[in-house]
Amino acid sequence: MSDAPVVHIDPEAFHANPYPTLAEMRRDTPVCFVPELGATLFTRRDDVFAEEKRIDLFSSHQPNGLLTRVMGENMMRKDGDAHQIERKALFPALSPRTVRDVLGTQFGEIVQRHIDRIKPQGTCDLVRDYAMPVAADALRVMTGLINMDAAEMDAASQAMLDTAANYQGDPEIDAKGFGYASRVLELIEERLPALRASPDLSIVSVLDQAGLSLDQIAGNVRVIIGGGQNEPRDAIAGTIWALLSHPDQHQLITKGQATYEDAFAEYVRLGAPIGMSPRRVARNDTACGVGFEAEELIFFMFGSACRDEAHFENPDRFDITRDTRPAIPFGAGPHFCAGAAASRTLIAGHAVPQLFKQLDGLELAGDVPFAGWAFRGPTSCPLRWKI
């Protein structure tokens, strides 16, 4: 075990709101061992930024890690050449050109279809009725799994992520996550004949065209479903909530003094949807003045790094005029989120601005609870508007 100072947490309180505890860690014990999580946490931005790149010490390769167990071998749990080979194979599906020329148009159509569906109702739950199906339909197009409906995409993502974060070892959570992992494999096998007959730029197709095995395709598609559904869903809902609960900030956009891109960047800084990334210690060594032993588990806390007082004044405040460049909600090293550009286009280019433009008198209609520390977002968000 590392010789980092030990800090105990209340798991339930940490799940409900990790930020006060993380602020104390940044101030007093920036690298600390948390027995309730079985891991040593890095909480300061500069430490995370520097140490995440040390893949020789803090390895993504975790053959016995929770994420690998449920998702299978995937590029997020590989380093060096093994990671780059699969990331290069994925690139055509998520390249800036594909996002601009192919996905952007499809995203716009998806968003419009869901706005048309909810607009006559005058009310909805933002998370359940809009952010979830928009993110899922975008992911269906991106992955090529058009044989998977939006509700199943969302359920599979949440179940597999819950299993990947099941450090308490709840057997019911494991059973659900592994069940959906098997279901994803079935759906990939079902789609492959058509995609081989007519290849396209979907993720399943480009990975297959690159010669990856079925297990490699499935492992990567599962992990993409995890982050690719959870993060956009929570960022769509969270960005809209933030602008509605801070009308002065939205006025900056309507006056042309800021953009929806600024709002998205500030929200993912404030409430990083993917709050941490685990790593395995590859050898006995020292980092940030702390000694580590091989095979230990450490967490790079992106959600904490993005609220580091050393870089962000009043870090708990939503302020779309601030400089968000030091923020690292999508990571800082070679595992930087491959889908970040697609998420930004979906959310800041379509899902958020179109909702504000087309729903007159849009406002919050009740309380908005948030939950999670490894993956965080609003669990519900009631809205209403004029019809």
Side-chain angles (χ1 to χ4, degrees), residues 258-325:
T259 67
Y260 285 105
E261 178 91 14
D262 297 327
F264 166 75
E266 171 63 352
Y267 176 74
V268 296
R269 180 207 65 81
L270 181 73
I274 299 177
M276 76 88 172
S277 185
R279 296 289 190 271
R280 176 182 60 87
V281 179
R283 64 173 187 274
N284 294 356
D285 207 335
T286 301
C288 300
V290 172
F292 291 89
E293 295 182 1
E295 304 306 317
E296 283 190 69
L297 180 65
I298 69 104
F299 293 162
F300 289 127
M301 303 298 291
F302 298 146
S304 176
C306 288
R307 292 197 183 203
D308 192 330
E309 298 81 358
H311 290 273
F312 306 105
E313 185 178 357
N314 297 318
D316 298 332
R317 185 179 68 192
F318 179 71
D319 178 4
I320 66 175
T321 67
R322 79 164 77 241
D323 180 4
T324 59
R325 285 177 295 179

Side-chain angles (χ1 to χ4, degrees), residues 50-382:
E51 300 301 328
E52 191 191 3
K53 297 177 176 67
R54 295 181 65 188
I55 59 175
D56 61 314
L57 175 57
F58 299 118
S59 175
S60 294
H61 182 53
Q62 300 167 46
N64 298 315
L66 296 183
L67 187 140
T68 303
R69 286 179 55 231
V70 66
M71 306 288 192
E73 293 288 340
N74 62 83
M75 70 183 74
M76 289 299 293
R77 290 298 173 262
K78 296 179 181 179
D79 290 315
D81 290 344
H83 171 78
Q84 288 301 324
I85 287 170
E86 294 185 13
R87 193 176 182 101
K88 184 177 180 180
L90 176 66
F91 180 76
L94 298 174
S95 71
R97 177 178 293 180
T98 300
V99 172
R100 183 193 66 208
D101 296 344
V102 179
L103 292 175
T105 299
Q106 293 174 312
F107 290 165
E109 293 169 352
I110 288 167
V111 166
Q112 190 59 56
R113 184 167 69 249
H114 286 292
I115 291 177
D116 290 344
R117 175 179 53 81
I118 65 172
K119 189 173 182 178
Q121 301 171 6
T123 184
C124 79
D125 183 279
L126 174 63
V127 179
R128 182 192 64 228
D129 301 325
Y130 183 67
M132 184 277 281
V134 165
D137 280 343
L139 193 54
R140 290 171 67 241
V141 168
M142 292 166 63
T143 60
L145 294 183
I146 57 175
N147 52 340
M148 191 179 199
D149 67 29
E152 187 173 36
M153 181 71 79
D154 187 72
S157 172
Q158 196 61 56
M160 291 188 294
L161 287 178
D162 287 346
T163 300
N166 186 24
Y167 294 97
Q168 284 73 42
D170 187 320
E172 292 185 10
I173 292 175
D174 276 355
K176 193 172 183 180
F178 282 104
Y180 273 110
S182 296
R183 175 62 175 156
V184 170
L185 176 61
E186 293 173 3
L187 292 166
I188 292 171
E189 291 178 307
E190 188 178 287
R191 281 288 289 147
L192 276 174
L195 291 171
R196 285 170 176 167
S198 182
D200 60 20
L201 289 171
S202 68
I203 290 167
V204 171
S205 185
V206 300
L207 294 180
D208 184 56
Q209 291 172 60
L212 271 65
S213 69
L214 179 60
D215 284 344
Q216 288 176 305
I217 294 171
N220 283 303
V221 169
R222 289 185 190 114
V223 82
I224 288 167
I225 287 173
Q229 170 65 10
N230 181 288
E231 182 272 326
R233 179 198 66 204
D234 294 344
I236 290 168
T239 303
I240 292 167
W241 161 82
L243 289 171
L244 289 174
S245 57
H246 300 81
D248 59 317
Q249 298 290 299
H250 191 236
Q251 287 177 5
L252 295 175
I253 297 175
T254 60
K255 293 177 180 178
Q257 298 171 357
T259 67
Y260 285 105
E261 178 91 14
D262 297 327
F264 166 75
E266 171 63 352
Y267 176 74
V268 296
R269 180 207 65 81
L270 181 73
I274 299 177
M276 76 88 172
S277 185
R279 296 289 190 271
R280 176 182 60 87
V281 179
R283 64 173 187 274
N284 294 356
D285 207 335
T286 301
C288 300
V290 172
F292 291 89
E293 295 182 1
E295 304 306 317
E296 283 190 69
L297 180 65
I298 69 104
F299 293 162
F300 289 127
M301 303 298 291
F302 298 146
S304 176
C306 288
R307 292 197 183 203
D308 192 330
E309 298 81 358
H311 290 273
F312 306 105
E313 185 178 357
N314 297 318
D316 298 332
R317 185 179 68 192
F318 179 71
D319 178 4
I320 66 175
T321 67
R322 79 164 77 241
D323 180 4
T324 59
R325 285 177 295 179
I328 48 175
F330 298 108
H335 290 84
F336 180 85
C337 178
S343 287
R344 187 177 294 108
T345 297
L346 171 65
I347 298 165
H350 299 282
V352 176
Q354 288 305 106
L355 198 74
F356 277 99
K357 290 175 184 176
Q358 297 189 46
L359 300 186
D360 185 32
L362 184 65
E363 63 181 5
L364 296 173
D367 294 335
V368 181
F370 284 71
W373 61 271
F375 307 98
R376 184 167 181 83
T379 56
S380 67
C381 182

